[in-house]
Amino acid sequence: MTAREALKTYFGYDDFRPLQEEIIHSVLEGRDTLALMPTGGGKSLCFQVPTMAMDGLCLVITPLIALMKDQVENLRKREIRAAAIYTGMTYEEQKVALDNCQWGPYHFLYVSPERLESEEFRERLARLPISLIAVDEAHCISQWGYDFRPSYLKIAEIREVVQANPHPLAAEKRANTHVPILALTATATPEVVDDIQERLAFSEKNVLRKSFLRQNLSYVVRQTNKKADEIVHILSKVPGSAIVYVRNRQRAQEIAAYLNEKGFSADFYHAGLTSKERSAKQEAWKRYSLTMSNNPHSERWVGETPYGIRIIVATNAFGMGIDKPDVRMVIHHDLPDTVEAYFQEAGRAGRDEQRAYAVLLYDPSQDKVKARKRVADNYPPKEFVADVYHKTCDFLGVGAGSGEGHTFMLPINDLCRIMHLPILQTCAALHLLTQAGYVSFQEEQEIQPRVKILISRREISDYGLSEQQRQLLEALMRTYTGIFTDLQYVHLGDKVMRRLGDEGASRVGNKHSEIHDLLVSLAQRHIITYIPYDTANTLTLTQERQTDIYLPTTIYENHRQQYIDKLKAMVEYADNQLYCRSQLLLSYFGEIDADTCGTCDVCRSLSARTSATSARR
Ligand code: ADP
Ligand code: MG
């Protein structure tokens, strides 16, 4: 099957988007490839299409569990077999997923990078018929990137493991036995581009780059010390869906309330909400469309309109994996940490190629003070970091010399209250300890729901259960052995569903909450114990508890300097009144020959000045 046939047959698309075809051909030729494409450019298809065209299994390494699940779900909707392995799955579940990949007609195995560190996992990997390794968000491999993940460095090692057992059919189609690697990212400065290829042990340099130019997006910086009012002003001038990014949760709530007060349809979003609340808000915002609501200005809504929510005021927890085409405006209330982050967040506006705006609100004196404070918060003194390490171990009950490999849920608020630690700096310290390899601290991990059945199989008929309740109980019993003795992680969307006789994965979405409600009703009658799906911070001790903590220069001083440099670049962008903003952003990503955009605030004020001069002449 050719790539184009696979595109049509499995994904239902007639044409490739720019550069997709080149990337896919490079992969099909068996070449290691680094693909740079802005967010929304269609990177996933670049590994999905060649895998379907080649046969064999594609190993996908991706850092975010939410994105992983999203993609697996999407593939399954297209009737493509895909599995995922991540923290929180039981050993049994992982084994089933791996067995499926080894023996079954599976095409995709998604794993989080942390998996690669496990010896057992590597052993299994050597027996899988892998035809392609895809590394999503590949900038995570670089210390120069803005989201360094130490486990990404293991990828080069697993290449050798994988190479031991190339899929024969795939190798034949590629005419060589080399299992290629495809690295993908939306944010790569020139040094990161080099770093990625080196650290993934590319057999030769090979970069395919789509321009990061966003023709329909106008970049604007507004200097103001009354940011909330400026937001109101901007939103009343440009209709349509909008995102307002803020830096903390409380601010999100305050600004959403202020916008409501001023008659806008707005809501807030941050990682502190339950996942149910988050998905409800996200869905309401996604549903909003200008055409449906006709003229939003003539109506004064508080909160949600009958057409959904127009404006979401959010922390940077919002937006990953969301693909809403008609966002007209992304406003940043505060400076992001990096130009990379800014470009990515701002780039969520105008995916539909219609005119859209990315506005950064900037209060020069205040924001510079805040920037300096951020450096101090993110890099607290080394003694403090060591103190956090020991207090956290004490809090978790881990004694000296023990704890290696254990994962704990870590309620940060409790830790900080009981141990008298400041929360912001404590989180920063835990991230530093992660970088230095002492622990692996993961914020807001998704915890699978857990169920234990409290009655025996025979007793089921005594309870006068509804047909649905009975079926669900039986499906759980059959799927999870041991559910009578221990709390078991359950996957409501998958196995249980199939046992319930539901074949169409597309109905999973609705079924989810139905099953949740059924489980709640069973728990109320003390037939089961049910701990619903939730998110929590987790901490894994990657080494036994140490007596002394050492933060090397490469982790502490160098990263601190890097952080400062990146923040400086962001401040420069905000201060700039001379250069076209689009040009400035593109040059940051190594595109130095771009034209001026003509629509950013700098271009506009230049052309206004020019026309004023010519009018006077
Ligand atoms: P990225 O990872 O680059 O941010 P995604 O892979 O998530 O982007 O793709 C963004 C959206 O574009 C998805 O909804 C995807 O289905 C769609 N898409 C990708 N390629 C094509 C194509 N060739 N034709 C139509 N839609 C596409
Ligand atoms: Mg992607």
Side-chain angles (χ1 to χ4, degrees), residues 7 11-18 20 37-49 67 70-71 74 78 136-137 184-186 321-323 344 351:
L7 179 74
F11 301 94
Y13 298 133
D14 291 320
D15 279 304
F16 285 110
R17 289 211 182 138
Q20 281 179 331
M37 242 194 215
T39 310
K43 287 187 285 298
S44 316
L45 278 187
C46 295
F47 57 83
Q48 289 168 345
V49 167
L67 289 188
D70 221 46
Q71 294 212 2
N74 277 330
R78 304 193 141 108
D136 210 358
E137 313 293 342
L184 310 124
T185 175
I322 294 177
D323 195 27
Q344 191 137 9
R351 294 270 173 85

mmCIF file of all heavy atoms in Angstrom, residues 7 11-18 20 37-49 67 70-71 74 78 136-137 184-186 321-323 344 351, ligand 1:
data_model
loop_
_atom_site.group_PDB
_atom_site.id
_atom_site.type_symbol
_atom_site.label_atom_id
_atom_site.label_comp_id
_atom_site.label_asym_id
_atom_site.label_seq_id
_atom_site.Cartn_x
_atom_site.Cartn_y
_atom_site.Cartn_z
ATOM 1 N N LEU A 7 -3.364 6.942 3.577
ATOM 2 C CA LEU A 7 -3.997 8.184 4.037
ATOM 3 C C LEU A 7 -5.503 8.137 3.795
ATOM 4 O O LEU A 7 -6.308 8.491 4.651
ATOM 5 C CB LEU A 7 -3.389 9.392 3.298
ATOM 6 C CG LEU A 7 -3.963 10.758 3.659
ATOM 7 C CD1 LEU A 7 -3.474 11.204 5.038
ATOM 8 C CD2 LEU A 7 -3.590 11.810 2.617
ATOM 9 N N PHE A 11 -7.414 6.956 7.134
ATOM 10 C CA PHE A 11 -7.692 8.245 7.776
ATOM 11 C C PHE A 11 -8.747 9.066 7.047
ATOM 12 O O PHE A 11 -9.210 10.077 7.539
ATOM 13 C CB PHE A 11 -6.387 9.035 7.946
ATOM 14 C CG PHE A 11 -5.385 8.280 8.776
ATOM 15 C CD1 PHE A 11 -4.418 7.483 8.183
ATOM 16 C CD2 PHE A 11 -5.444 8.330 10.164
ATOM 17 C CE1 PHE A 11 -3.522 6.754 8.950
ATOM 18 C CE2 PHE A 11 -4.547 7.601 10.938
ATOM 19 C CZ PHE A 11 -3.587 6.808 10.335
ATOM 20 N N GLY A 12 -9.096 8.632 5.833
ATOM 21 C CA GLY A 12 -10.185 9.280 5.115
ATOM 22 C C GLY A 12 -9.833 10.644 4.541
ATOM 23 O O GLY A 12 -10.725 11.412 4.189
ATOM 24 N N TYR A 13 -8.550 10.965 4.452
ATOM 25 C CA TYR A 13 -8.174 12.258 3.867
ATOM 26 C C TYR A 13 -7.704 12.068 2.423
ATOM 27 O O TYR A 13 -7.088 11.056 2.091
ATOM 28 C CB TYR A 13 -7.042 12.910 4.655
ATOM 29 C CG TYR A 13 -7.387 13.226 6.088
ATOM 30 C CD1 TYR A 13 -6.516 12.896 7.125
ATOM 31 C CD2 TYR A 13 -8.581 13.873 6.420
ATOM 32 C CE1 TYR A 13 -6.819 13.185 8.449
ATOM 33 C CE2 TYR A 13 -8.893 14.163 7.740
ATOM 34 C CZ TYR A 13 -8.009 13.819 8.742
ATOM 35 O OH TYR A 13 -8.308 14.106 10.054
ATOM 36 N N ASP A 14 -7.974 13.062 1.587
ATOM 37 C CA ASP A 14 -7.591 12.960 0.179
ATOM 38 C C ASP A 14 -6.180 13.455 -0.069
ATOM 39 O O ASP A 14 -5.488 12.973 -0.953
ATOM 40 C CB ASP A 14 -8.564 13.772 -0.690
ATOM 41 C CG ASP A 14 -9.935 13.125 -0.710
ATOM 42 O OD1 ASP A 14 -9.987 11.875 -0.785
ATOM 43 O OD2 ASP A 14 -10.949 13.857 -0.626
ATOM 44 N N ASP A 15 -5.794 14.464 0.688
ATOM 45 C CA ASP A 15 -4.506 15.090 0.407
ATOM 46 C C ASP A 15 -3.648 15.248 1.643
ATOM 47 O O ASP A 15 -4.163 15.405 2.742
ATOM 48 C CB ASP A 15 -4.728 16.479 -0.190
ATOM 49 C CG ASP A 15 -5.045 16.382 -1.656
ATOM 50 O OD1 ASP A 15 -4.234 15.794 -2.395
ATOM 51 O OD2 ASP A 15 -6.130 16.862 -2.056
ATOM 52 N N PHE A 16 -2.347 15.251 1.401
ATOM 53 C CA PHE A 16 -1.436 15.546 2.486
ATOM 54 C C PHE A 16 -1.391 17.044 2.723
ATOM 55 O O PHE A 16 -1.632 17.829 1.810
ATOM 56 C CB PHE A 16 -0.033 15.048 2.154
ATOM 57 C CG PHE A 16 0.086 13.561 2.275
ATOM 58 C CD1 PHE A 16 0.244 12.768 1.147
ATOM 59 C CD2 PHE A 16 0.028 12.960 3.522
ATOM 60 C CE1 PHE A 16 0.344 11.390 1.269
ATOM 61 C CE2 PHE A 16 0.134 11.582 3.652
ATOM 62 C CZ PHE A 16 0.283 10.797 2.517
ATOM 63 N N ARG A 17 -1.059 17.413 3.921
ATOM 64 C CA ARG A 17 -0.789 18.818 4.196
ATOM 65 C C ARG A 17 0.666 19.085 3.831
ATOM 66 O O ARG A 17 1.462 18.151 3.703
ATOM 67 C CB ARG A 17 -1.014 19.091 5.679
ATOM 68 C CG ARG A 17 -2.480 19.051 6.044
ATOM 69 C CD ARG A 17 -2.716 20.002 7.182
ATOM 70 N NE ARG A 17 -4.093 19.972 7.611
ATOM 71 C CZ ARG A 17 -4.473 19.977 8.884
ATOM 72 N NH1 ARG A 17 -3.555 19.974 9.837
ATOM 73 N NH2 ARG A 17 -5.723 20.006 9.219
ATOM 74 N N PRO A 18 1.025 20.370 3.690
ATOM 75 C CA PRO A 18 2.406 20.681 3.299
ATOM 76 C C PRO A 18 3.429 19.950 4.173
ATOM 77 O O PRO A 18 3.271 19.911 5.394
ATOM 78 C CB PRO A 18 2.495 22.201 3.512
ATOM 79 C CG PRO A 18 1.100 22.687 3.395
ATOM 80 C CD PRO A 18 0.206 21.577 3.843
ATOM 81 N N GLN A 20 3.988 16.932 4.892
ATOM 82 C CA GLN A 20 3.694 15.579 5.397
ATOM 83 C C GLN A 20 4.245 14.509 4.458
ATOM 84 O O GLN A 20 4.866 13.540 4.895
ATOM 85 C CB GLN A 20 2.187 15.374 5.569
ATOM 86 C CG GLN A 20 1.620 16.001 6.824
ATOM 87 C CD GLN A 20 0.117 15.791 6.950
ATOM 88 O OE1 GLN A 20 -0.595 15.680 5.952
ATOM 89 N NE2 GLN A 20 -0.373 15.762 8.179
ATOM 90 N N MET A 37 7.462 21.155 12.636
ATOM 91 C CA MET A 37 6.198 21.655 12.099
ATOM 92 C C MET A 37 5.475 22.364 13.211
ATOM 93 O O MET A 37 5.482 21.870 14.342
ATOM 94 C CB MET A 37 5.339 20.438 11.729
ATOM 95 C CG MET A 37 4.984 20.316 10.297
ATOM 96 S SD MET A 37 3.686 19.086 10.202
ATOM 97 C CE MET A 37 4.123 18.377 8.675
ATOM 98 N N PRO A 38 4.857 23.501 12.911
ATOM 99 C CA PRO A 38 4.149 24.175 14.000
ATOM 100 C C PRO A 38 2.995 23.319 14.533
ATOM 101 O O PRO A 38 2.532 22.407 13.853
ATOM 102 C CB PRO A 38 3.623 25.463 13.360
ATOM 103 C CG PRO A 38 3.791 25.296 11.898
ATOM 104 C CD PRO A 38 4.791 24.232 11.655
ATOM 105 N N THR A 39 2.562 23.617 15.743
ATOM 106 C CA THR A 39 1.444 22.901 16.343
ATOM 107 C C THR A 39 0.219 22.967 15.435
ATOM 108 O O THR A 39 -0.073 24.009 14.874
ATOM 109 C CB THR A 39 1.104 23.542 17.708
ATOM 110 O OG1 THR A 39 2.300 23.651 18.440
ATOM 111 C CG2 THR A 39 0.116 22.702 18.478
ATOM 112 N N GLY A 40 -0.442 21.850 15.293
ATOM 113 C CA GLY A 40 -1.616 21.800 14.432
ATOM 114 C C GLY A 40 -1.268 21.508 12.988
ATOM 115 O O GLY A 40 -2.155 21.372 12.139
ATOM 116 N N GLY A 41 0.006 21.406 12.692
ATOM 117 C CA GLY A 41 0.444 21.159 11.317
ATOM 118 C C GLY A 41 0.149 19.742 10.834
ATOM 119 O O GLY A 41 0.167 19.464 9.646
ATOM 120 N N GLY A 42 -0.100 18.836 11.781
ATOM 121 C CA GLY A 42 -0.419 17.459 11.409
ATOM 122 C C GLY A 42 0.769 16.528 11.540
ATOM 123 O O GLY A 42 1.060 15.727 10.655
ATOM 124 N N LYS A 43 1.437 16.592 12.674
ATOM 125 C CA LYS A 43 2.623 15.754 12.876
ATOM 126 C C LYS A 43 2.259 14.277 13.093
ATOM 127 O O LYS A 43 2.973 13.398 12.627
ATOM 128 C CB LYS A 43 3.444 16.282 14.065
ATOM 129 C CG LYS A 43 4.173 17.575 13.732
ATOM 130 C CD LYS A 43 5.107 18.004 14.835
ATOM 131 C CE LYS A 43 4.365 18.580 16.026
ATOM 132 N NZ LYS A 43 3.591 19.806 15.716
ATOM 133 N N SER A 44 1.151 14.023 13.776
ATOM 134 C CA SER A 44 0.830 12.627 14.098
ATOM 135 C C SER A 44 0.728 11.755 12.847
ATOM 136 O O SER A 44 1.210 10.626 12.829
ATOM 137 C CB SER A 44 -0.489 12.538 14.864
ATOM 138 O OG SER A 44 -0.546 13.516 15.858
ATOM 139 N N LEU A 45 0.095 12.286 11.821
ATOM 140 C CA LEU A 45 -0.066 11.480 10.605
ATOM 141 C C LEU A 45 1.284 11.107 9.995
ATOM 142 O O LEU A 45 1.375 10.119 9.277
ATOM 143 C CB LEU A 45 -0.889 12.242 9.565
ATOM 144 C CG LEU A 45 -2.418 12.196 9.705
ATOM 145 C CD1 LEU A 45 -3.068 12.853 8.510
ATOM 146 C CD2 LEU A 45 -2.921 10.775 9.858
ATOM 147 N N CYS A 46 2.313 11.873 10.288
ATOM 148 C CA CYS A 46 3.628 11.608 9.705
ATOM 149 C C CYS A 46 4.223 10.288 10.179
ATOM 150 O O CYS A 46 5.071 9.719 9.515
ATOM 151 C CB CYS A 46 4.594 12.742 10.010
ATOM 152 S SG CYS A 46 4.110 14.280 9.247
ATOM 153 N N PHE A 47 3.796 9.802 11.352
ATOM 154 C CA PHE A 47 4.230 8.444 11.720
ATOM 155 C C PHE A 47 3.096 7.433 11.575
ATOM 156 O O PHE A 47 3.333 6.251 11.396
ATOM 157 C CB PHE A 47 4.866 8.393 13.115
ATOM 158 C CG PHE A 47 4.013 8.886 14.259
ATOM 159 C CD1 PHE A 47 3.090 8.060 14.852
ATOM 160 C CD2 PHE A 47 4.160 10.185 14.743
ATOM 161 C CE1 PHE A 47 2.309 8.507 15.919
ATOM 162 C CE2 PHE A 47 3.383 10.644 15.815
ATOM 163 C CZ PHE A 47 2.459 9.789 16.395
ATOM 164 N N GLN A 48 1.858 7.917 11.624
ATOM 165 C CA GLN A 48 0.740 6.979 11.529
ATOM 166 C C GLN A 48 0.586 6.434 10.111
ATOM 167 O O GLN A 48 0.379 5.236 9.914
ATOM 168 C CB GLN A 48 -0.555 7.650 12.008
ATOM 169 C CG GLN A 48 -0.553 7.864 13.518
ATOM 170 C CD GLN A 48 -1.653 8.773 14.011
ATOM 171 O OE1 GLN A 48 -2.288 9.484 13.235
ATOM 172 N NE2 GLN A 48 -1.885 8.771 15.313
ATOM 173 N N VAL A 49 0.716 7.306 9.118
ATOM 174 C CA VAL A 49 0.542 6.853 7.736
ATOM 175 C C VAL A 49 1.641 5.864 7.307
ATOM 176 O O VAL A 49 1.319 4.779 6.821
ATOM 177 C CB VAL A 49 0.424 8.054 6.765
ATOM 178 C CG1 VAL A 49 0.573 7.607 5.317
ATOM 179 C CG2 VAL A 49 -0.897 8.759 6.973
ATOM 180 N N LEU A 67 -2.385 13.206 26.124
ATOM 181 C CA LEU A 67 -2.254 13.173 24.665
ATOM 182 C C LEU A 67 -2.211 11.740 24.152
ATOM 183 O O LEU A 67 -2.753 11.412 23.104
ATOM 184 C CB LEU A 67 -0.974 13.882 24.227
ATOM 185 C CG LEU A 67 -0.951 15.395 24.361
ATOM 186 C CD1 LEU A 67 0.293 15.967 23.722
ATOM 187 C CD2 LEU A 67 -2.193 16.006 23.731
ATOM 188 N N ASP A 70 -5.641 10.285 24.115
ATOM 189 C CA ASP A 70 -6.375 10.933 23.045
ATOM 190 C C ASP A 70 -6.084 10.278 21.701
ATOM 191 O O ASP A 70 -6.981 9.963 20.928
ATOM 192 C CB ASP A 70 -5.866 12.377 22.989
ATOM 193 C CG ASP A 70 -6.984 13.343 22.759
ATOM 194 O OD1 ASP A 70 -8.011 13.184 23.443
ATOM 195 O OD2 ASP A 70 -6.808 14.236 21.899
ATOM 196 N N GLN A 71 -4.803 10.061 21.446
ATOM 197 C CA GLN A 71 -4.403 9.502 20.157
ATOM 198 C C GLN A 71 -4.835 8.043 20.028
ATOM 199 O O GLN A 71 -5.279 7.622 18.957
ATOM 200 C CB GLN A 71 -2.885 9.611 19.990
ATOM 201 C CG GLN A 71 -2.441 11.057 19.891
ATOM 202 C CD GLN A 71 -1.216 11.228 19.006
ATOM 203 O OE1 GLN A 71 -0.704 10.281 18.416
ATOM 204 N NE2 GLN A 71 -0.748 12.454 18.902
ATOM 205 N N ASN A 74 -8.425 8.018 19.247
ATOM 206 C CA ASN A 74 -8.665 8.421 17.861
ATOM 207 C C ASN A 74 -8.334 7.311 16.871
ATOM 208 O O ASN A 74 -9.057 7.110 15.892
ATOM 209 C CB ASN A 74 -7.836 9.658 17.505
ATOM 210 C CG ASN A 74 -8.531 10.919 17.959
ATOM 211 O OD1 ASN A 74 -9.766 10.967 18.011
ATOM 212 N ND2 ASN A 74 -7.759 11.933 18.323
ATOM 213 N N ARG A 78 -10.853 4.770 14.299
ATOM 214 C CA ARG A 78 -10.611 4.455 12.893
ATOM 215 C C ARG A 78 -10.346 2.965 12.704
ATOM 216 O O ARG A 78 -9.853 2.544 11.661
ATOM 217 C CB ARG A 78 -9.410 5.255 12.396
ATOM 218 C CG ARG A 78 -9.583 6.733 12.613
ATOM 219 C CD ARG A 78 -8.543 7.528 11.851
ATOM 220 N NE ARG A 78 -9.148 8.719 11.302
ATOM 221 C CZ ARG A 78 -8.924 9.956 11.746
ATOM 222 N NH1 ARG A 78 -8.072 10.152 12.725
ATOM 223 N NH2 ARG A 78 -9.531 10.974 11.189
ATOM 224 N N ASP A 136 7.650 11.870 19.803
ATOM 225 C CA ASP A 136 6.842 13.087 19.750
ATOM 226 C C ASP A 136 7.401 14.083 20.774
ATOM 227 O O ASP A 136 8.023 13.673 21.752
ATOM 228 C CB ASP A 136 5.385 12.744 20.053
ATOM 229 C CG ASP A 136 4.422 13.689 19.352
ATOM 230 O OD1 ASP A 136 4.904 14.619 18.670
ATOM 231 O OD2 ASP A 136 3.196 13.504 19.474
ATOM 232 N N GLU A 137 7.158 15.352 20.551
ATOM 233 C CA GLU A 137 7.675 16.400 21.458
ATOM 234 C C GLU A 137 9.170 16.186 21.688
ATOM 235 O O GLU A 137 9.659 16.168 22.827
ATOM 236 C CB GLU A 137 6.930 16.383 22.798
ATOM 237 C CG GLU A 137 5.413 16.310 22.708
ATOM 238 C CD GLU A 137 4.772 17.551 22.101
ATOM 239 O OE1 GLU A 137 5.438 18.611 22.062
ATOM 240 O OE2 GLU A 137 3.620 17.463 21.642
ATOM 241 N N LEU A 184 9.672 14.387 16.197
ATOM 242 C CA LEU A 184 8.764 15.461 15.815
ATOM 243 C C LEU A 184 8.711 16.518 16.900
ATOM 244 O O LEU A 184 8.660 16.184 18.081
ATOM 245 C CB LEU A 184 7.356 14.901 15.619
ATOM 246 C CG LEU A 184 7.232 13.677 14.736
ATOM 247 C CD1 LEU A 184 6.540 12.555 15.475
ATOM 248 C CD2 LEU A 184 6.514 14.011 13.451
ATOM 249 N N THR A 185 8.713 17.766 16.490
ATOM 250 C CA THR A 185 8.510 18.822 17.480
ATOM 251 C C THR A 185 7.991 20.092 16.810
ATOM 252 O O THR A 185 8.150 20.285 15.614
ATOM 253 C CB THR A 185 9.799 19.156 18.272
ATOM 254 O OG1 THR A 185 9.551 20.272 19.124
ATOM 255 C CG2 THR A 185 10.949 19.487 17.354
ATOM 256 N N ALA A 186 7.351 20.921 17.635
ATOM 257 C CA ALA A 186 6.841 22.192 17.137
ATOM 258 C C ALA A 186 7.721 23.341 17.596
ATOM 259 O O ALA A 186 7.510 24.473 17.198
ATOM 260 C CB ALA A 186 5.414 22.413 17.627
ATOM 261 N N GLY A 321 -3.256 19.533 22.962
ATOM 262 C CA GLY A 321 -4.093 18.530 22.304
ATOM 263 C C GLY A 321 -5.479 19.020 21.934
ATOM 264 O O GLY A 321 -6.290 18.273 21.418
ATOM 265 N N ILE A 322 -5.764 20.289 22.204
ATOM 266 C CA ILE A 322 -7.076 20.806 21.814
ATOM 267 C C ILE A 322 -6.968 21.365 20.409
ATOM 268 O O ILE A 322 -6.063 22.126 20.098
ATOM 269 C CB ILE A 322 -7.552 21.910 22.777
ATOM 270 C CG1 ILE A 322 -7.793 21.302 24.149
ATOM 271 C CG2 ILE A 322 -8.824 22.552 22.251
ATOM 272 C CD1 ILE A 322 -8.201 22.311 25.177
ATOM 273 N N ASP A 323 -7.896 20.987 19.581
ATOM 274 C CA ASP A 323 -7.783 21.323 18.179
ATOM 275 C C ASP A 323 -9.027 22.101 17.757
ATOM 276 O O ASP A 323 -9.856 21.598 17.027
ATOM 277 C CB ASP A 323 -7.638 20.007 17.398
ATOM 278 C CG ASP A 323 -7.157 20.257 15.988
ATOM 279 O OD1 ASP A 323 -6.480 21.265 15.777
ATOM 280 O OD2 ASP A 323 -7.487 19.450 15.108
ATOM 281 N N GLN A 344 3.830 28.702 20.985
ATOM 282 C CA GLN A 344 2.919 27.558 21.000
ATOM 283 C C GLN A 344 1.520 27.955 21.472
ATOM 284 O O GLN A 344 0.521 27.587 20.873
ATOM 285 C CB GLN A 344 3.489 26.485 21.927
ATOM 286 C CG GLN A 344 2.767 25.164 21.823
ATOM 287 C CD GLN A 344 3.745 24.006 21.792
ATOM 288 O OE1 GLN A 344 4.938 24.182 22.009
ATOM 289 N NE2 GLN A 344 3.265 22.829 21.529
ATOM 290 N N ARG A 351 -6.326 28.613 13.635
ATOM 291 C CA ARG A 351 -5.995 27.386 12.905
ATOM 292 C C ARG A 351 -6.798 27.285 11.614
ATOM 293 O O ARG A 351 -6.430 26.557 10.701
ATOM 294 C CB ARG A 351 -6.310 26.149 13.765
ATOM 295 C CG ARG A 351 -5.463 26.019 14.999
ATOM 296 C CD ARG A 351 -4.206 25.222 14.707
ATOM 297 N NE ARG A 351 -3.324 25.230 15.848
ATOM 298 C CZ ARG A 351 -3.418 24.387 16.865
ATOM 299 N NH1 ARG A 351 -4.356 23.466 16.878
ATOM 300 N NH2 ARG A 351 -2.584 24.464 17.868
HETATM 301 P P1 ADP B 1 0.339 18.462 15.603
HETATM 302 O O1 ADP B 1 0.785 17.226 16.326
HETATM 303 O O2 ADP B 1 1.298 18.873 14.525
HETATM 304 O O3 ADP B 1 0.038 19.604 16.520
HETATM 305 P P2 ADP B 1 -1.921 16.861 14.871
HETATM 306 O O4 ADP B 1 -1.188 15.697 14.362
HETATM 307 O O5 ADP B 1 -2.541 16.745 16.217
HETATM 308 O O6 ADP B 1 -1.013 18.155 14.845
HETATM 309 O O7 ADP B 1 -3.015 17.234 13.775
HETATM 310 C C1 ADP B 1 -3.872 18.333 13.917
HETATM 311 C C2 ADP B 1 -5.168 18.085 13.172
HETATM 312 O O8 ADP B 1 -4.977 18.104 11.774
HETATM 313 C C3 ADP B 1 -5.812 16.742 13.477
HETATM 314 O O9 ADP B 1 -7.176 16.927 13.750
HETATM 315 C C4 ADP B 1 -5.601 15.930 12.213
HETATM 316 O O10 ADP B 1 -6.605 14.971 12.019
HETATM 317 C C5 ADP B 1 -5.632 17.008 11.141
HETATM 318 N N1 ADP B 1 -4.884 16.599 9.944
HETATM 319 C C6 ADP B 1 -3.596 16.230 9.889
HETATM 320 N N2 ADP B 1 -3.224 15.939 8.634
HETATM 321 C C7 ADP B 1 -4.302 16.133 7.842
HETATM 322 C C8 ADP B 1 -4.548 15.998 6.426
HETATM 323 N N3 ADP B 1 -3.602 15.593 5.588
HETATM 324 N N4 ADP B 1 -5.786 16.289 6.002
HETATM 325 C C9 ADP B 1 -6.739 16.698 6.867
HETATM 326 N N5 ADP B 1 -6.572 16.839 8.192
HETATM 327 C C10 ADP B 1 -5.373 16.561 8.689
#
